[in-house]
Amino acid sequence: KLGSKNKVLLFVLFILYWMAPLMCREYTGQMHIHQNNGDGGSMLWIPLTVYGFAGLAWRPLTDVISYKMNSRKNIIFISLALQLVTIWPMFVWPGSFAANIIQSIGTGVGASGIGLFNLMFSEQEHHRKIFTTVSILALPPLIAECITSCMEAVLCGLVPEHGVQAHTADISVYLDYLKYLWLFAIVFIVVSFIITFFIKEEKSRY
């Protein structure tokens, strides 16, 4: 039981925040392959590697910046802003290899930022409630996974059959449908941005 409005908001924010990078990450590889008419395996390592390195680079920076700014909430704002700036080109130009690489940066940044929620939850609890905190934090990623999986299944089910099976026939059809996954991600980011304004944090603990 969360017990306070702030914790409920933080719980909901955790779910929405994680849904955006989760949805984009799942289809980064597929988008690259379809962008190359089903034969892009030799370059697939580029967007996937960019995703990994972006996450590795951003994670230590969050600790440094949050310490300097005395705020983890501001890091969430920065992370959401970076995701928004880097993800929208994928919706506008779904057939672009460069857009896929750019969105991999934002997706990596978003994925590495979930550690902030672990810290923010822990800082609002006493040590004797640490077990409860750990149990609560196990739920948002599972809920986000469930929701995004359903959305992805429904959207992919709407793709005309020829667009899925005959990649060289009309690949633009498939890309035009998949790009809406990134639109959903943008919506999640915007909603997360709004909710973050209402989150309160105890800066004295930093």
Side-chain angles (χ1 to χ4, degrees), residues 50 82 85-87 89 97-107:
V50 168
L82 288 173
V85 170
T86 56
I87 286 176
F97 177 61
N100 200 7
I101 293 177
I102 293 173
Q103 71 86 26
S104 295
I105 297 174
T107 303

mmCIF file of all heavy atoms in Angstrom, residues 50 82 85-87 89 97-107:
data_model
loop_
_atom_site.group_PDB
_atom_site.id
_atom_site.type_symbol
_atom_site.label_atom_id
_atom_site.label_comp_id
_atom_site.label_asym_id
_atom_site.label_seq_id
_atom_site.Cartn_x
_atom_site.Cartn_y
_atom_site.Cartn_z
ATOM 1 N N VAL A 50 24.400 1.938 -30.111
ATOM 2 C CA VAL A 50 24.154 3.325 -29.697
ATOM 3 C C VAL A 50 23.223 3.339 -28.491
ATOM 4 O O VAL A 50 23.433 4.109 -27.535
ATOM 5 C CB VAL A 50 23.536 4.134 -30.862
ATOM 6 C CG1 VAL A 50 23.001 5.475 -30.356
ATOM 7 C CG2 VAL A 50 24.572 4.354 -31.951
ATOM 8 N N LEU A 82 15.173 14.909 -23.447
ATOM 9 C CA LEU A 82 16.088 14.260 -24.393
ATOM 10 C C LEU A 82 15.369 13.183 -25.200
ATOM 11 O O LEU A 82 15.594 13.047 -26.413
ATOM 12 C CB LEU A 82 17.272 13.650 -23.640
ATOM 13 C CG LEU A 82 18.304 14.626 -23.076
ATOM 14 C CD1 LEU A 82 19.329 13.896 -22.211
ATOM 15 C CD2 LEU A 82 19.008 15.369 -24.202
ATOM 16 N N VAL A 85 13.049 14.930 -27.852
ATOM 17 C CA VAL A 85 13.799 15.519 -28.966
ATOM 18 C C VAL A 85 14.334 14.450 -29.913
ATOM 19 O O VAL A 85 14.362 14.641 -31.136
ATOM 20 C CB VAL A 85 14.968 16.376 -28.428
ATOM 21 C CG1 VAL A 85 15.904 16.790 -29.550
ATOM 22 C CG2 VAL A 85 14.432 17.612 -27.715
ATOM 23 N N THR A 86 14.749 13.318 -29.371
ATOM 24 C CA THR A 86 15.382 12.290 -30.208
ATOM 25 C C THR A 86 14.400 11.281 -30.800
ATOM 26 O O THR A 86 14.698 10.656 -31.824
ATOM 27 C CB THR A 86 16.440 11.518 -29.397
ATOM 28 O OG1 THR A 86 15.830 10.959 -28.220
ATOM 29 C CG2 THR A 86 17.573 12.432 -28.980
ATOM 30 N N ILE A 87 13.237 11.117 -30.186
ATOM 31 C CA ILE A 87 12.294 10.094 -30.652
ATOM 32 C C ILE A 87 11.378 10.591 -31.765
ATOM 33 O O ILE A 87 11.017 9.838 -32.665
ATOM 34 C CB ILE A 87 11.467 9.558 -29.456
ATOM 35 C CG1 ILE A 87 12.338 8.649 -28.595
ATOM 36 C CG2 ILE A 87 10.240 8.787 -29.937
ATOM 37 C CD1 ILE A 87 11.658 8.150 -27.340
ATOM 38 N N PRO A 89 11.818 12.307 -34.507
ATOM 39 C CA PRO A 89 12.208 12.120 -35.915
ATOM 40 C C PRO A 89 11.843 10.736 -36.463
ATOM 41 O O PRO A 89 11.603 10.590 -37.658
ATOM 42 C CB PRO A 89 13.731 12.310 -35.889
ATOM 43 C CG PRO A 89 13.973 13.182 -34.703
ATOM 44 C CD PRO A 89 12.977 12.726 -33.688
ATOM 45 N N PHE A 97 17.462 5.702 -41.652
ATOM 46 C CA PHE A 97 18.440 5.003 -40.818
ATOM 47 C C PHE A 97 18.999 5.948 -39.754
ATOM 48 O O PHE A 97 19.204 5.568 -38.596
ATOM 49 C CB PHE A 97 19.565 4.462 -41.698
ATOM 50 C CG PHE A 97 20.666 3.775 -40.937
ATOM 51 C CD1 PHE A 97 20.397 2.648 -40.175
ATOM 52 C CD2 PHE A 97 21.967 4.246 -40.994
ATOM 53 C CE1 PHE A 97 21.411 2.007 -39.467
ATOM 54 C CE2 PHE A 97 22.981 3.621 -40.295
ATOM 55 C CZ PHE A 97 22.704 2.492 -39.531
ATOM 56 N N ALA A 98 19.219 7.215 -40.126
ATOM 57 C CA ALA A 98 19.730 8.209 -39.188
ATOM 58 C C ALA A 98 18.736 8.458 -38.057
ATOM 59 O O ALA A 98 19.122 8.595 -36.890
ATOM 60 C CB ALA A 98 20.027 9.519 -39.921
ATOM 61 N N ALA A 99 17.436 8.503 -38.398
ATOM 62 C CA ALA A 99 16.411 8.711 -37.372
ATOM 63 C C ALA A 99 16.388 7.560 -36.384
ATOM 64 O O ALA A 99 16.167 7.756 -35.183
ATOM 65 C CB ALA A 99 15.039 8.872 -38.027
ATOM 66 N N ASN A 100 16.629 6.360 -36.883
ATOM 67 C CA ASN A 100 16.656 5.181 -36.005
ATOM 68 C C ASN A 100 17.825 5.263 -35.024
ATOM 69 O O ASN A 100 17.695 4.910 -33.851
ATOM 70 C CB ASN A 100 16.754 3.912 -36.839
ATOM 71 C CG ASN A 100 16.312 2.685 -36.061
ATOM 72 O OD1 ASN A 100 15.810 2.770 -34.943
ATOM 73 N ND2 ASN A 100 16.485 1.519 -36.652
ATOM 74 N N ILE A 101 18.962 5.734 -35.500
ATOM 75 C CA ILE A 101 20.129 5.877 -34.622
ATOM 76 C C ILE A 101 19.875 6.968 -33.576
ATOM 77 O O ILE A 101 20.186 6.798 -32.392
ATOM 78 C CB ILE A 101 21.385 6.219 -35.444
ATOM 79 C CG1 ILE A 101 21.764 5.033 -36.346
ATOM 80 C CG2 ILE A 101 22.552 6.568 -34.525
ATOM 81 C CD1 ILE A 101 22.942 5.294 -37.245
ATOM 82 N N ILE A 102 19.283 8.082 -34.021
ATOM 83 C CA ILE A 102 18.999 9.192 -33.102
ATOM 84 C C ILE A 102 18.020 8.762 -32.013
ATOM 85 O O ILE A 102 18.205 9.062 -30.833
ATOM 86 C CB ILE A 102 18.450 10.401 -33.879
ATOM 87 C CG1 ILE A 102 19.540 10.979 -34.790
ATOM 88 C CG2 ILE A 102 17.935 11.470 -32.923
ATOM 89 C CD1 ILE A 102 19.046 12.057 -35.725
ATOM 90 N N GLN A 103 16.967 8.031 -32.406
ATOM 91 C CA GLN A 103 15.992 7.607 -31.403
ATOM 92 C C GLN A 103 16.588 6.573 -30.456
ATOM 93 O O GLN A 103 16.149 6.449 -29.315
ATOM 94 C CB GLN A 103 14.730 7.061 -32.075
ATOM 95 C CG GLN A 103 14.864 5.726 -32.780
ATOM 96 C CD GLN A 103 14.661 4.533 -31.877
ATOM 97 O OE1 GLN A 103 13.972 4.622 -30.864
ATOM 98 N NE2 GLN A 103 15.254 3.408 -32.241
ATOM 99 N N SER A 104 17.618 5.856 -30.900
ATOM 100 C CA SER A 104 18.289 4.896 -30.022
ATOM 101 C C SER A 104 18.986 5.610 -28.868
ATOM 102 O O SER A 104 19.095 5.065 -27.762
ATOM 103 C CB SER A 104 19.310 4.073 -30.816
ATOM 104 O OG SER A 104 18.676 3.269 -31.789
ATOM 105 N N ILE A 105 19.449 6.831 -29.123
ATOM 106 C CA ILE A 105 20.077 7.626 -28.062
ATOM 107 C C ILE A 105 19.059 7.946 -26.977
ATOM 108 O O ILE A 105 19.294 7.735 -25.782
ATOM 109 C CB ILE A 105 20.665 8.929 -28.636
ATOM 110 C CG1 ILE A 105 21.775 8.619 -29.652
ATOM 111 C CG2 ILE A 105 21.202 9.813 -27.519
ATOM 112 C CD1 ILE A 105 22.302 9.842 -30.377
ATOM 113 N N GLY A 106 17.897 8.462 -27.394
ATOM 114 C CA GLY A 106 16.853 8.799 -26.431
ATOM 115 C C GLY A 106 16.325 7.587 -25.699
ATOM 116 O O GLY A 106 16.050 7.644 -24.491
ATOM 117 N N THR A 107 16.194 6.477 -26.419
ATOM 118 C CA THR A 107 15.705 5.253 -25.793
ATOM 119 C C THR A 107 16.688 4.747 -24.741
ATOM 120 O O THR A 107 16.291 4.306 -23.659
ATOM 121 C CB THR A 107 15.478 4.161 -26.853
ATOM 122 O OG1 THR A 107 14.574 4.644 -27.848
ATOM 123 C CG2 THR A 107 14.876 2.912 -26.235
#
